[in-house]
């Protein structure tokens, strides 16, 4: 199959295209089964590639957050790390940050420019009693029509309009 030499996004696009074309073909059931098996193998390679990309991106963002924590004097770290509005990456980064940094809260702002929205995620170790993540995020996103929720130790909001990002970041830093 031509797709066996492809990787990443190109492979994913080709699998989608070929799957759609295969479904519309009038060929024997045994040939369709054979092609579906090969497409299934290619789909598994796409899943492995996506997991590797998420792990790599998560590690990069974590390093950025740890560097910001080292450079921050207070108990609150605010970082802009644009990885789209991806809750899985945000959760992975905040969990890993919490394991490494026990005395600081983290707020990440991340934009999806194409969708014109951004996400604000905050986390704090339970031992850090003076930071309420939900209050921090609510105060920072006030007046932006953001939606979300959280608790004292974690909060997540999605805000329409990337243009609000700088203002939210400034409010977060001064909270």
């Amino acid at each position: 199959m031509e797709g066996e030499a492809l990787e990443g996004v190109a492979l994913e696009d080709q699998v989608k295209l070929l799957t759609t074309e295969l479904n519309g073909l009038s060929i024997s059931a045994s040939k369709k089964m054979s092609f579906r098996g090969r497409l299934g193998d290619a789909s598994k390679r796409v899943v492995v590639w996506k997991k590797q990309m998420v792990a790599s991106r998560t590690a990069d963002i974590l390093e950025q957050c740890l560097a910001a924590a080292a450079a921050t004097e207070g108990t609150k770290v605010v970082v802009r790390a644009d990885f789209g509005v991806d809750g899985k990456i945000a959760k992975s980064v905040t969990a890993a940050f919490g394991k490494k940094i026990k005395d600081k809260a983290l707020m990440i702002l991340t934009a999806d420019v194409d969708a014109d929205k951004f996400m604000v995620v905050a986390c704090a170790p339970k031992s850090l009693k003076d930071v309420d993540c939900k209050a921090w995020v609510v105060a920072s996103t006030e007046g932006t029509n953001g939606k979300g929720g959280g608790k004292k130790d974690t909060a997540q909001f999605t805000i329409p309009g990337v243009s609000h990002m700088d203002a939210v970041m400034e409010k977060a830093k001064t909270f």
Side-chain angles (χ1 to χ4, degrees):
M1 176 165 41
E2 175 187 321
E4 290 174 0
L6 298 175
E7 292 298 326
V9 175
L11 178 60
E12 182 179 22
D13 292 343
Q14 195 66 27
V15 167
K16 287 177 185 176
L17 176 69
L18 290 173
T19 299
T20 302
E21 288 180 7
L22 180 62
N23 290 336
L25 289 178
S26 295
I27 59 174
S28 71
S30 63
K31 283 193 182 224
K32 261 192 185 180
M33 293 288 287
S34 172
F35 287 131
R36 282 197 176 117
R38 292 175 73 187
L39 285 172
D41 292 343
S43 292
K44 289 177 186 173
R45 288 184 21 228
V46 169
V47 169
V48 167
W49 171 77
K50 282 184 172 183
K51 286 182 179 180
Q52 289 171 342
M53 294 306 295
V54 167
S56 172
R57 187 69 181 126
T58 299
D60 292 344
I61 296 162
L62 178 60
E63 286 304 313
Q64 183 182 352
C65 293
L66 293 173
T72 301
E73 298 260 339
T75 59
K76 295 184 203 106
V77 180
V78 180
V79 177
R80 179 171 178 174
D82 291 336
F83 53 87
V85 182
D86 189 334
K88 287 183 182 180
I89 291 178
K91 185 173 181 170
S92 296
V93 170
T94 56
F97 182 88
K99 289 178 182 173
K100 294 188 181 253
I101 306 291
K102 304 285 187 194
D103 61 344
K104 294 184 182 187
L106 172 68
M107 180 182 283
I108 302 172
L109 288 85
T110 175
D112 182 342
V113 177
D114 294 334
D116 193 32
K117 63 182 177 179
F118 66 100
M119 181 169 64
V120 178
V121 180
C123 70
K126 293 195 185 285
S127 61
L128 194 61
K129 303 291 182 194
D130 67 332
V131 177
D132 182 336
C133 290
K134 185 174 181 182
W136 189 18
V137 173
V138 168
S140 300
T141 60
E142 186 179 350
T144 62
N145 294 323
K147 293 182 180 179
K151 300 176 185 172
K152 184 172 174 41
D153 61 337
T154 60
Q156 178 176 319
F157 273 61
T158 303
I159 296 96
V162 177
S163 61
H164 297 293
M165 224 171 160
D166 290 335
V168 170
M169 196 153 184
E170 286 308 310
K171 286 181 187 176
K173 287 178 179 178
T174 60
F175 179 77

